Amino acid sequence: MKTNQFMELALDEARAAGARGEVPIGAVVVLDGTVIASSGNRTRELNDITAHAEVAAIRMACEALGQERLTGADLYVTLEPCTMCAAAISFARIRRLYYGAEDPKGGGVDSGVRFYAQPTCHHAPEVYSGMSEVQAAEILRGFFQGKRD
Ligand SMILES: [Zn+2]
């Protein structure tokens, strides 16, 4: 499977974040085939450096469901999560993580600390990488190119 409707929604959230001047990353939380929450990066909007797309989407999903964990839910995100988000995804008990482009510079799943492979990680989601990676990388490249111009 190369892409699907949930990753398409995450890409839309990434584009919308970019249009707001945020780093264009988007995330979607899905439970039983239903979108529970979706968000782009909101760090500038909220003056909150922890408001990465994944954390924002997890917060919204937990609020919507009225629970602190998201057991059985899947998370789609356009870029490999950073270490903070990888940990949040673990703490939320996300079942499956689908991410688009790899992030060798800032990722914490298959790059960097590889959080889920550490003995201090007590819940690791199943990880599927490379979904819509070309589109996800293009959105980021376009955004940072625009910043330089
Ligand atoms: Zn993050």
Side-chain angles (χ1 to χ4, degrees):
M1 182 166 44
K2 282 210 165 25
T3 186
N4 72 19
Q5 56 178 329
F6 302 125
M7 187 57 88
E8 287 297 325
L9 181 56
L11 290 165
D12 287 344
E13 288 284 2
R15 291 185 195 100
R20 298 193 304 268
E22 305 273 4
V23 175
I25 298 167
V28 174
V29 176
V30 176
L31 182 63
D32 297 330
T34 301
V35 173
I36 305 297
S38 68
S39 182
N41 265 356
R42 299 178 66 194
T43 60
R44 295 185 64 178
E45 175 195 344
L46 301 176
N47 291 322
D48 178 0
I49 206 64
T50 70
H52 285 188
E54 302 94 312
V55 170
I58 286 170
R59 282 195 182 124
M60 288 169 66
C62 288
E63 195 175 328
L65 297 173
Q67 56 193 49
E68 68 175 329
R69 295 197 178 91
L70 299 170
T71 307
D74 301 332
L75 188 140
Y76 295 74
V77 59
T78 55
L79 186 68
E80 178 184 353
C82 72
T83 306
M84 173 184 74
C85 292
I89 288 164
S90 168
F91 298 159
R93 303 286 192 273
I94 294 286
R95 177 180 64 171
R96 293 187 187 128
L97 165 65
Y98 298 85
Y99 76 78
E102 282 195 357
D103 186 7
K105 287 183 184 164
V109 175
D110 294 312
S111 311
V113 304
R114 295 179 171 80
F115 184 81
Y116 302 136
Q118 302 305 320
T120 48
C121 173
H122 306 300
H123 169 84
E126 293 172 36
V127 178
Y128 301 90
S129 60
M131 181 183 276
S132 302
E133 62 182 326
V134 174
Q135 294 96 310
E138 272 303 314
I139 292 169
L140 280 159
R141 199 158 32 239
F143 178 80
F144 286 110
Q145 243 159 31
K147 290 247 157 198
R148 279 196 298 272
D149 292 344

